[in-house]
Amino acid sequence: EEMIDDHTIGVVCIMGNHYSGHYDPVQEVDAVISRVNEQRGFQVGIHVDGASGAFVAPFQPAEDIKPWDFRLPNVLSISASGHKFGESVCGTGWVVWRQREDLSEHIAISVSYLGGNADSYTLNFSRP
């Protein structure tokens, strides 16, 4: 709680960390962020790095896992690592945003596709 200040742009929780597969307590973090946002007038949100857990958590029994996704009001985006369980090439991943307004227009390009226009979003986080 004390780590969130007026310079904080977001908090990241991980679902399935690399070393042990443990999930961060997203629901508890959401409660803290709600309290801080209310008390200080902030708009801090959560990005859930789904890593490998985003492919597993939705299929776990509800009694075994607390909410970690868009059911929580401060979760603004969720990513998943496609190269882990999505059977795609190394470095591939996906990000889903709760609302279009949360996605910056500066990372989108408009493309003509199958007779219509669509936005295309590409972020490159690969190492050289």
Side-chain angles (χ1 to χ4, degrees):
E1 195 169 324
E2 61 277 355
M3 300 293 292
I4 301 172
D5 62 20
D6 59 338
H7 297 289
T8 304
I9 62 170
V11 174
V12 176
C13 294
I14 300 174
M15 293 296 291
N17 74 48
H18 181 71
Y19 300 104
S20 66
H22 287 95
Y23 297 164
D24 283 345
V26 184
Q27 186 175 34
E28 287 134 26
V29 171
D30 182 75
V32 170
I33 290 177
S34 289
R35 187 170 54 251
V36 169
N37 283 345
E38 175 77 23
Q39 291 172 351
R40 302 181 194 169
F42 293 166
Q43 294 179 331
V44 174
I46 298 172
H47 169 72
V48 176
D49 180 351
S52 55
F55 290 96
V56 178
F59 303 101
Q60 291 182 271
E63 61 273 6
D64 292 345
I65 185 168
K66 295 178 181 178
W68 59 275
D69 49 22
F70 293 131
R71 292 173 286 176
L72 301 174
N74 295 302
V75 172
L76 303 181
S77 58
I78 302 170
S79 62
S81 299
H83 61 275
K84 293 179 179 155
F85 292 118
E87 298 186 9
S88 62
V89 297
C90 203
T92 301
W94 303 279
V95 182
V96 179
W97 276 265
R98 176 190 292 270
Q99 300 177 48
R100 171 63 179 90
E101 297 81 38
D102 294 328
L103 179 59
S104 173
E105 64 194 49
H106 300 292
I107 63 168
I109 59 169
S110 183
V111 295
S112 177
Y113 183 71
L114 297 177
N117 289 324
D119 289 338
S120 178
Y121 307 93
T122 302
L123 301 172
N124 186 352
F125 296 109
S126 298
R127 296 181 207 146

